[in-house]
């Protein structure tokens, strides 16, 4: 991960006008991976060109898919992906490096599961610290082996099994990556695989698999698939990423005089929990669905500067739908009157870095009281606070933290320094350019 340092200058004027954000990262991963699994050539459009998605592209190429994606004028990727279909993926010549992408590594475990191959998965230093046993556990019940036995983190070797057994599984946590890995393996197992989770998680897999000819049953906390199936080629248009949109919306809420519209952004309810939090804080935000890509709704997200925000309580069952937005929501909470509580955010400890500790450290440097009690995060807002001169943040190589701390400088009155700012390339390479493009 880049060790670069960036000085972020305050925006010279309010944010105004309309813009688009890059393609949704979660949907882009799935478009690449599902197309690689499918029989025939899929056409994909609006795919996010980022380090994480590139890791998925390299991975499926190593497994035998043919990828012909070209850079478009808007910076996205589009083109064809010819999958391995019923013949299955090829045995790769060497370990597959997933970079910093947990989605790539975890979904590959389910993709490799039903085939007679052995694949070693590895990644960068950060990814090799993240928990993988949560994915391996249900897949082992289906008949997949992992080596070394009992390994908790990458690198680990997935030993596929062409005779997978369908399972009914009670997931210990709400995780779209865990759910997807099990459903992808279950699509090739004999019988019906069911996964239940304690709270709703992202449902892109359940919405997208039918586009590839695999019917799924999706409930609020339940997903199931009946196999065996072979995915069939499809056409996918990736909408804008609501997680990226959150940073532009929060910037507008904090920068006096601002009013922005973000167009063609995914408005999947499993991804817009953070908008509900903004509404509860009294923010001037709204959404309007204008169309659908397959079963994925997309539309316009509007945000206008809001002088008076109030703290609120965010329940645990909502956290899975906004776990990537909690860093920027925490910064907004610092501007609100009263205390904001995010309940049961333990998952933040095992993201790209310990985001929970990093949020508290960053807010403390700003003079904001932030603390944990158990797994709950508390932030006591201080409306009108100003960042101290010369303040510097370390993103710790985490793209969400890099953008969050950049907003302190962009929407404030003094420059801030963000170390390892280059990590934004993981999900939003043009973040600063898009922010500057909204200044009128």
């Amino acid at each position: 991960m880049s060790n670069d340092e960036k000085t972020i200058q305050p925006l010279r004027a309010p944010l105004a006008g309309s813009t688009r954000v890059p393609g949704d990262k979660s949907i882009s991963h799935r478009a690449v991976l599902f197309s690689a699994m499918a029989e025939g050539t899929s056409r994909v459009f609006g795919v996010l060109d980022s380090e994480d998605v590139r890791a998925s592209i390299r991975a499926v190429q190593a497994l035998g898919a043919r990828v012909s994606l070209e850079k478009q004028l808007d910076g996205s990727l589009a083109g064809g992906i010819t999958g391995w279909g019923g013949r299955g993926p090829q045995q790769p010549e060497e370990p597959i490096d997933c970079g910093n992408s947990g989605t790539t590594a975890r979904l590959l475990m389910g993709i490799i599961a039903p085939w007679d191959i052995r694949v070693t998965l590895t990644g960068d230093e950060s990814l090799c610290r993240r928990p993988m046993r949560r994915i391996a556990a249900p897949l082992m019940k289906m008949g997949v082996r992992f080596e070394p036995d009992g390994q908790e983190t990458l690198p680990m070797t997935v030993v596929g099994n062409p005779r997978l057994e369908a399972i009914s599984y009670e997931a210990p946590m709400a995780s779209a990556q865990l759910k997807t890995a099990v459903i992808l393996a279950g699509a090739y197992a004999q019988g019906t695989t069911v996964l239940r989770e304690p709270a709703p998680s992202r449902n892109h897999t359940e919405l997208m698999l039918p586009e590839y000819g695999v019917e799924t049953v999706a409930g609020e906390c339940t997903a199931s698939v009946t196999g065996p199936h072979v995915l069939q080629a499809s056409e996918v248009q990736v909408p804008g990423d609501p997680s990226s949109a959150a940073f532009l919306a929060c910037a507008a809420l904090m920068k006096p005089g601002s009013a922005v519209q973000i167009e063609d952004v995914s408005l999947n309810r499993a991804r817009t929990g953070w908008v509900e939090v903004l509404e509860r804080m009294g923010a001037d935000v709204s959404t309007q669905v204008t169309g659908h890509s397959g079963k994925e709704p997309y539309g316009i997200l509007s945000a206008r500067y809001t002088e008076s925000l109030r703290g609120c309580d965010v329940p645990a069952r909502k956290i899975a739908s906004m776990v990537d937005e909690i860093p920027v929501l925490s910064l907004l909470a610092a501007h609100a009157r009263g205390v904001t509580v995010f309940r049961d955010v333990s998952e933040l400890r095992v993201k790209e870095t310990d985001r929970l500790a990093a949020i508290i450290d960053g807010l403390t440097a700003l003079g904001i009281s932030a603390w944990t009690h158990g797994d709950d995060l508390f932030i006591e807002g201080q409306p009108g606070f100003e960042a101290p001169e010369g303040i510097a943040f370390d993103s710790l190589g985490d793209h969400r933290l890099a953008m969050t701390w950049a907003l302190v400088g962009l929407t404030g009155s003094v420059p801030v320094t963000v170390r390892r700012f280059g990590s934004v390339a993981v999900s939003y390479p043009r973040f600063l350019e898009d922010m500057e493009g909204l200044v009128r």
Side-chain angles (χ1 to χ4, degrees), residues 347-400:
E347 187 67 13
L348 289 178
R349 303 184 196 274
V350 292
K351 298 298 285 183
E352 282 81 341
T353 187
D354 184 344
R355 283 183 184 164
L356 189 53
I359 289 168
I360 292 173
D361 289 347
L363 293 181
T364 299
L366 289 168
I368 303 298
S369 293
W371 67 96
T372 56
H373 180 73
D375 288 326
D376 298 342
L377 171 62
F378 294 76
I379 299 166
E380 184 174 2
Q382 188 179 318
F385 79 87
E386 294 283 349
E389 293 274 358
I391 190 169
F393 299 95
D394 191 339
S395 77
L396 304 173
D398 186 312
H399 53 129
R400 309 292 182 193

Side-chain angles (χ1 to χ4, degrees), residues 144-163:
V144 185
R145 287 196 298 115
F146 291 84
E147 299 173 352
D149 187 42
Q151 182 82 353
E152 298 286 342
T153 57
L154 300 183
M156 59 171 49
T157 299
V158 186
V159 184
N161 181 354
R163 292 174 296 280

Side-chain angles (χ1 to χ4, degrees), residues 23-274:
D24 184 89
K25 187 156 74 81
S26 295
I27 299 176
S28 293
H29 278 298
R30 286 160 175 78
V32 169
L33 295 168
F34 296 1
S35 296
M37 298 168 67
E39 193 78 58
T41 299
S42 298
R43 305 291 297 176
V44 295
F45 305 91
V47 172
L48 172 66
D49 187 7
S50 74
E51 291 180 4
D52 269 18
V53 176
R54 288 276 182 180
S56 284
I57 292 171
R58 290 192 298 270
V60 299
Q61 288 175 319
L63 291 167
R66 296 201 305 275
V67 181
S68 302
L69 301 183
E70 296 183 354
K71 192 94 161 182
Q72 306 301 297
L73 291 177
D74 64 0
S76 69
L77 298 174
I81 299 176
T82 303
W84 50 73
R87 75 178 185 277
Q90 69 185 18
Q91 173 67 48
E93 298 178 357
E94 54 191 22
I96 291 179
D97 186 349
C98 301
N100 189 243
S101 178
T103 301
T104 304
R106 290 168 174 155
L107 270 56
L108 280 177
M109 291 180 180
I111 291 169
I112 295 162
W115 302 104
D116 188 18
I117 57 175
R118 300 167 55 93
V119 182
T120 298
L121 302 176
T122 188
D124 67 11
E125 183 181 354
S126 170
L127 185 58
C128 287
R129 291 195 300 266
R130 297 177 67 181
M132 296 293 161
R133 189 71 176 176
R134 58 177 62 177
I135 313 297
L139 294 178
M140 289 170 66
K141 292 179 181 292
M142 300 178 79
V144 185
R145 287 196 298 115
F146 291 84
E147 299 173 352
D149 187 42
Q151 182 82 353
E152 298 286 342
T153 57
L154 300 183
M156 59 171 49
T157 299
V158 186
V159 184
N161 181 354
R163 292 174 296 280
L164 291 183
E165 297 180 10
I167 60 169
S168 180
Y169 188 71
E170 300 286 339
M173 75 284 291
S175 166
Q177 294 174 356
L178 187 162
K179 176 173 61 177
T180 298
V182 172
I183 292 300
L184 291 180
Y188 291 83
Q190 194 75 44
T192 299
T193 293
V194 181
L195 183 137
R196 301 176 185 86
E197 49 190 355
S201 66
R202 297 178 181 182
N203 62 356
H204 299 304
T205 294
E206 299 97 298
L207 296 181
M208 189 182 290
L209 276 180
E211 301 296 309
Y212 288 86
V214 179
E215 291 302 320
T216 59
V217 177
E220 187 177 55
C221 295
T222 306
S224 67
V225 65
T226 300
H229 282 286
V230 174
L231 277 67
Q232 300 299 316
S234 183
E235 183 171 301
V236 176
Q237 175 70 50
V238 180
D241 194 325
S243 295
S244 294
F247 292 91
L248 304 189
C250 288
L253 294 173
M254 292 186 289
K255 182 70 174 177
S258 296
V260 301
Q261 284 192 333
I262 305 160
E263 300 176 349
D264 297 335
V265 65
S266 170
L267 295 178
N268 183 323
R269 289 179 61 84
R271 295 293 302 283
T272 55
W274 61 272

